[in-house]
Amino acid sequence: MHSFEDEWQESEPANVQPTPRTNYSARVYHASTSRGNRGHNNETNWRSRGDASGGDHQRNRDTRRGQAGWEGNKKIINVVSNNVGRIIGKGGSKIRDLQFESQAKIKIGDSSGAETAITLIGTDEAISKVEDMIKELLEDRRGPVKETLNNSDNTSEFFKQNDSGVQVIDWDKLNAFYDEQQQSRWQNLPPIIKNFYKEDPTVTNMTPAEVTRWRLANNDIQVKRTFDDKPDLSPIPNPVVTFEQAFKQYPEILDEIYKQGFQNPSPIQSQAWPVLLKGEDLIGIAQTGTGKTLAFLLPALIHIEGQTIPKDKRKGPTVLIMAPTRELAIQIDREVSKYTYKAIRSVCLYGGGDRREQIKALSKGVDIVIATPGRLNDLVVTGYLNVINFSYIVLDEADRMLDMGFEPQIKKSLYDVRPDRQTVMTSATWPPGVRRLAQSYMKDPIQVNVGSLDLAAVHTVTQKIMFVEEDDKEAALIEFLINMDENDKVIIFCGKKATATHITTELCLKGIECQSLHGDRDQIDREEALAEMVDGTVNILVATDVASRGIDIKNLTHVINLDFPRHIEEYVHRVGRTGRAGKTGIALSFISRNDWGHARELIKILEEANQEIPDELELMAKRFEAMKLRRDQEGGGGRGRGGRGGRGRRDRW
Ligand code: AMP
């Protein structure tokens, strides 16, 4: 397989990293700069030589990076053959992850003998990254895959000869072996203790009519089994009305709640605590601001402490909380750290945060992991996080995680988690994707819907509309900000990152202090922006929809929609940033003629929340509907300009 080496220039030995002989040895090559199109040619050469890992090669074509794009230098490392299976992973999952994370190509070579040659291709940086990842993978023996495949005496049993007599990986055998090992690992674990609930007699004695009345009066809570209500399932527990009814057996938990000064459980807490303390799976259709974090957190603390093996003797953390964004993960972490119970420790893992620090915290031992899907998957794949003991899992804001395309990472991270765990999911909406997720990962979940989906939050907000020309928005905004009260706290939503940057600059030039939060800012700056809003250093935050969901800024008085959002759901999320925790708030939306397509949906929301509906908005909606009707009658297909041929006519509102 090394006959293509003449196309590469071998570097000086000084470039070779000293590596432990027991793990692997290495050689480095640099791509010849005199040759054009090198990555592509190199790939062709491999294929034409019928490389030993043909099966793997084909599989790697599926990765997100095209084969022709692999360019750069090459380094060959020799790995103890027994370890090759750990680098490949089940169905090639690990090798794909390593390639994706590092942006280097990994080529498994000849497997004969005690060592296997592995070629790493890419930029110096990519090679160095993938080499580090492989080293970590082989050094760390705690991860489940390592435990599993390393127990095999000889990984060469997972290779077979294909029809052309070339040695290839026997995926069926490798996968079957993996499944078998995984089953036996789970079987060897102690059973999970899930039921910690002793129902208070007052709660037991509530009549069905009392329960119905209570649910109606508390945000019209709806509770049901999400899927089939099988006869052998236990009945849905009554809600608790006081903290004591839920946690009488746990006085230290009660003390922590009292320290926060809360008066009563929030509706979702009242209904979720009995369900979760009984060990049932739960789906909470609820927004941030409803007290959902505490709803799943307090039962989690009791769950950690209540297992048979003491927490410091367990192999890995017990509770996993997955959140879609760094901001939300950090916010949950902040919430978690407010509660002290039996020295339970947590760590927050998110992309953009210091990976080494996160690994250090994990290695010291933690009980709760709060993580975004990407970084979680990274640390699971590289073996830093052992998922074997996760027995209580939370997928927070599942709809958002799916919207952001995290489904593959969620799947991969949960793959090794024992299936008899308790699973909690929260979501602001209930689209088919979330339903599918619940079907795949949950067991007979009980669903608690708080209010009529997202609309609950907007009931406490006065929603105002200001009709402006597009060009006048900025002046109207500045006039509003100049006249705002010194105690007002405002978030300004912009449709684009560039607009947010522009507005921030304009405000600064006018001496109006503000912060900004959008995707182009570094993580550290985003955290600082939020922190300054929270602690009151600034009172104005200019943001994109990065901040529309899940962000909890205390005492936010105004939400300003400088640009109306593209989707009406986002409007509801934005407005829900204010009017929280019993407070009222004001949302002011600048509406220009460009927004006429949203008018009808906006009217529905305003009606639902008993808000005033301006005549102009009604007129706008009617004009839009008339325009649509006209188009349909004219032949329907005229979408956008030029749709009906000719130069296209601009519809007038
Ligand atoms: P969450 O919906 O989890 O983001 O919670 C929003 C805010 O409500 C957090 O700041 C919590 O500390 C607070 N909170 C949680 N439970 C209660 C409660 N029972 N009463 C009042 N505030 C609460």
Side-chain angles (χ1 to χ4, degrees):
M1 71 169 271
H2 298 152
S3 51
F4 58 91
E5 283 168 10
D6 53 11
E7 292 177 2
W8 304 78
Q9 294 170 352
E10 192 156 2
S11 73
E12 291 304 308
N15 282 340
V16 180
Q17 294 288 316
T19 48
R21 219 20 244 173
T22 46
N23 264 338
Y24 59 79
S25 55
R27 261 180 300 158
V28 183
Y29 302 83
H30 288 294
S32 163
T33 46
S34 60
R35 221 167 35 81
N37 201 16
R38 56 199 174 192
H40 182 80
N41 286 346
N42 182 42
E43 195 55 45
T44 313
N45 282 336
W46 266 340
R47 250 177 279 153
S48 63
R49 285 190 175 81
D51 191 84
S53 59
D56 182 38
H57 172 82
Q58 285 305 319
R59 212 166 303 265
N60 288 335
R61 289 163 68 81
D62 296 333
T63 57
R64 271 169 268 190
R65 191 165 166 176
Q67 286 286 330
W70 298 104
E71 290 191 45
N73 301 322
K74 172 177 78 132
K75 182 168 186 176
I76 296 175
I77 58 174
N78 288 311
V79 177
V80 174
S81 292
N82 280 358
N83 287 335
V84 171
R86 284 158 62 183
I87 295 171
I88 296 166
K90 183 176 163 67
S93 58
K94 189 139 297 191
I95 201 168
R96 276 198 294 272
D97 283 331
L98 289 167
Q99 291 190 136
F100 180 68
E101 269 297 311
S102 64
Q103 293 291 297
K105 159 112 177 131
I106 305 169
K107 187 84 180 155
I108 308 286
D110 204 338
S111 71
S112 56
E115 288 196 333
T116 296
I118 295 182
T119 310
L120 313 175
I121 301 156
T123 60
D124 286 345
E125 197 189 345
I127 289 178
S128 153
K129 184 166 183 192
V130 78
E131 198 185 2
D132 279 352
M133 290 170 85
I134 291 173
K135 260 193 234 173
E136 283 161 5
L137 186 69
L138 301 186
E139 275 164 15
D140 188 337
R141 290 178 185 268
R142 290 166 308 154
V145 178
K146 278 151 270 169
E147 274 169 25
T148 306
L149 290 172
N150 204 35
N151 289 340
S152 168
D153 289 339
N154 186 1
T155 336
S156 61
E157 69 184 272
F158 301 118
F159 289 87
K160 65 177 182 188
Q161 302 252 311
N162 70 7
D163 294 345
S164 327
V166 175
Q167 201 173 24
V168 293
I169 294 160
D170 186 341
W171 291 101
D172 290 343
K173 211 166 175 184
L174 194 62
N175 288 345
F177 171 78
Y178 191 96
D179 284 343
E180 208 178 286
Q181 295 281 309
Q182 197 178 35
Q183 286 298 334
S184 75
R185 270 189 311 117
W186 286 334
Q187 273 159 16
N188 291 336
L189 294 171
I192 303 174
I193 315 279
K194 288 184 181 172
N195 192 347
F196 301 95
Y197 192 48
K198 267 210 178 126
E199 197 174 56
D200 188 279
T202 328
V203 177
T204 315
N205 293 334
M206 283 173 95
T207 63
E210 277 173 330
V211 171
T212 307
R213 264 203 307 278
W214 182 89
R215 286 180 181 151
L216 201 62
N218 282 271
N219 281 39
D220 189 16
I221 275 203
Q222 316 262 339
V223 196
K224 58 173 184 191
R225 290 268 174 198
T226 304
F227 306 115
D228 287 349
D229 195 356
K230 302 169 198 151
D232 56 326
L233 296 174
S234 59
I236 290 169
N238 289 344
V240 293
V241 179
T242 64
F243 295 119
E244 295 75 14
Q245 286 172 357
F247 301 111
K248 201 156 55 189
Q249 352 284 330
Y250 305 97
E252 290 160 69
I253 295 266
L254 276 178
D255 284 343
E256 291 299 310
I257 299 174
Y258 298 148
K259 270 191 222 161
Q260 301 299 321
F262 300 148
Q263 302 294 309
N264 293 305
S266 72
I268 185 140
Q269 292 164 357
S270 290
Q271 192 57 78
W273 282 334
V275 171
L276 289 174
L277 288 170
K278 275 185 82 180
E280 299 264 10
D281 281 7
L282 175 106
I283 299 173
I285 304 292
Q287 286 211 357
T288 304
T290 51
K292 67 181 168 72
T293 313
L294 210 57
F296 59 70
L297 176 65
L298 298 184
L301 300 180
I302 291 167
H303 176 103
I304 294 169
E305 192 55 25
Q307 301 307 307
T308 45
I309 300 183
K311 59 183 186 317
D312 47 343
K313 301 243 164 18
R314 276 170 235 160
K315 265 187 177 173
T318 310
V319 169
L320 170 66
I321 303 170
M322 258 198 246
T325 61
R326 310 155 197 190
E327 282 79 10
L328 188 59
I330 292 167
Q331 195 171 295
I332 297 170
D333 188 39
R334 221 177 279 137
E335 194 70 12
V336 170
S337 56
K338 285 185 197 162
Y339 299 86
T340 316
Y341 184 62
K342 312 269 185 197
I344 286 174
R345 287 171 299 174
S346 68
V347 67
C348 189
L349 313 174
Y350 53 94
D354 188 333
R355 191 170 180 272
R356 277 178 200 283
E357 281 302 313
Q358 293 171 3
I359 292 171
K360 211 153 86 188
L362 278 176
S363 68
K364 280 188 195 152
V366 293
D367 309 295
I368 302 177
V369 169
I370 303 142
T372 52
R375 179 55 58 91
L376 174 73
N377 189 234
D378 162 15
L379 296 178
V380 172
V381 163
T382 46
Y384 286 111
L385 176 57
N386 189 349
V387 301
I388 188 89
N389 262 308
F390 278 136
S391 52
Y392 187 107
I393 294 216
V394 182
L395 304 175
D396 200 16
E397 300 212 354
D399 52 347
R400 187 123 200 244
M401 286 203 269
L402 295 188
D403 285 352
M404 293 172 77
F406 282 135
E407 197 166 356
Q409 284 92 335
I410 297 173
K411 273 191 183 158
K412 272 191 275 174
S413 300
L414 296 188
Y415 189 79
D416 282 320
V417 178
R418 54 192 296 185
D420 56 344
R421 64 179 181 253
Q422 187 173 3
T423 310
V424 186
M425 189 158 96
T426 81
S427 184
T429 56
W430 185 233
V434 176
R435 242 170 280 174
R436 267 199 314 276
L437 206 62
Q439 236 146 4
S440 312
Y441 293 103
M442 305 185 83
K443 198 160 177 298
D444 302 315
I446 291 175
Q447 185 167 339
V448 180
N449 287 29
V450 182
S452 53
L453 295 182
D454 298 355
L455 296 173
V458 295
H459 287 166
T460 48
V461 181
T462 306
Q463 297 165 65
K464 295 183 177 176
I465 310 287
M466 186 188 272
F467 296 91
V468 284
E469 292 293 334
E470 203 61 37
D471 291 345
D472 298 336
K473 279 180 176 179
E474 198 175 310
L477 172 72
I478 287 168
E479 191 177 334
F480 173 90
L481 296 177
I482 288 171
N483 291 314
M484 72 187 236
D485 193 273
E486 62 173 314
N487 295 320
D488 285 346
K489 226 179 205 188
V490 183
I491 183 163
I492 301 158
F493 281 106
C494 306
K496 293 182 183 153
K497 292 182 269 192
T499 316
T501 306
H502 167 75
I503 294 290
T504 313
T505 313
E506 285 301 304
L507 296 186
C508 288
L509 288 173
K510 291 194 159 48
I512 302 174
E513 273 189 55
C514 65
Q515 258 292 6
S516 71
L517 184 64
H518 55 75
D520 276 351
R521 297 205 74 191
D522 286 343
Q523 177 59 19
I524 195 150
D525 296 330
R526 287 162 64 164
E527 281 172 34
E528 191 180 280
L530 259 184
E532 289 195 0
M533 260 315 259
V534 170
D535 70 18
T537 309
V538 293
N539 281 344
I540 300 170
L541 181 70
V542 185
T544 58
D545 277 318
V546 161
S548 73
R549 293 201 203 186
I551 300 300
D552 187 25
I553 299 169
K554 287 257 170 335
N555 303 326
L556 197 75
T557 55
H558 292 77
V559 165
I560 298 183
N561 290 317
L562 182 72
D563 297 318
F564 201 80
R566 263 190 293 262
H567 303 290
I568 199 75
E569 295 83 44
E570 228 50 63
Y571 172 84
V572 175
H573 290 303
R574 288 179 180 185
V575 168
R577 295 312 97 214
T578 179
R580 299 154 74 80
K583 301 258 167 48
T584 53
I586 293 174
L588 172 63
S589 300
F590 292 159
I591 300 273
S592 76
R593 56 186 68 201
N594 293 348
D595 303 312
W596 64 337
H598 296 297
R600 183 59 65 202
E601 290 171 313
L602 181 56
I603 288 172
K604 277 193 217 150
I605 286 175
L606 296 177
E607 275 172 350
E608 217 273 345
N610 281 330
Q611 303 287 311
E612 198 181 314
I613 315 231
D615 293 343
E616 212 170 337
L617 192 64
E618 189 62 61
L619 206 62
M620 222 178 184
K622 283 189 179 143
R623 279 181 181 149
F624 182 74
E625 279 149 9
M627 179 277 290
K628 268 185 29 193
L629 191 69
R630 207 170 52 236
R631 276 192 175 182
D632 287 346
Q633 285 167 349
E634 283 173 5
R639 285 187 153 268
R641 275 175 247 171
R644 285 186 300 277
R647 318 190 74 200
R649 192 183 79 201
R650 187 160 186 182
D651 287 301
R652 297 178 69 81
W653 74 295

